């Protein structure tokens, strides 16, 4: 009698474990899908396209981003943090993005160094132009 009782106990236990695992998997899949829609949302509106002059650019100090428009409708964005010693660039003039601290200049078309002491380009930032709005991301 004792061996039979032992075998039933083992079988019941195994069945219970299988059910628990099944329920856990279903619940996990549901939770995993939740955050996905948030990550695909539009980014923050940075500016209107009219805020960025054709053949020039604008420094958005709060966002630490500089947006240029080398040709009409062709918008570029870069980090506004100078790669020399991390000053905020001040302005876009005569085709370059200018740092006031030690005089580095970066080309408004691709962020590359036109004049040192900086040796590395301004990193590009991702923007999306939607109608008259420029969004980050
Ligand atoms: S921090 Fe920009 S030139 Fe030095």
């Amino acid at each position: 009698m004792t061996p039979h009782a032992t075998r039933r106990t083992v079988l019941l236990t195994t069945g219970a474990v299988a059910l628990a695992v099944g329920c856990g998997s279903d619940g996990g899949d549901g939770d995993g899908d939740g955050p996905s829609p948030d990550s695909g949302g539009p980014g923050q509106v940075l500016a209107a396209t009219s805020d960025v002059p054709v053949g020039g650019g604008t420094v958005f100090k709060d966002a630490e981003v500089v947006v240029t428009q080398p040709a009409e409708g062709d918008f570029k964005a870069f980090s506004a943090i100078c790669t020399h010693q991390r000053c905020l660039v001040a302005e876009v003039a005569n085709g370059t993005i200018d740092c006031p601290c030690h005089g580095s200049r970066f080309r408004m078309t691709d962020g590359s160094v036109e004049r040192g002491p900086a040796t590395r380009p301004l990193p590009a930032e991702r923007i999306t132009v939607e109608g008259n709005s420029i969004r980050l991301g």
Side-chain angles (χ1 to χ4, degrees), residues 82 84-87 99 101-104 117-118:
C82 180
H84 177 230
Q85 288 184 4
R86 302 189 57 78
C87 281
C99 179
C101 290
H102 311 98
S104 290

Side-chain angles (χ1 to χ4, degrees), residues 19 26 29 32 41-42 64 73 78 83 92 95 97 103 106 108-109 119 124 127-128 131 133:
L19 283 174
D26 291 342
D29 288 344
E64 298 181 342
F78 308 95
T83 57
V92 181
I97 302 163
F106 305 87
M108 63 181 276
T109 50
T119 57
I127 54 169
T128 303
S133 296

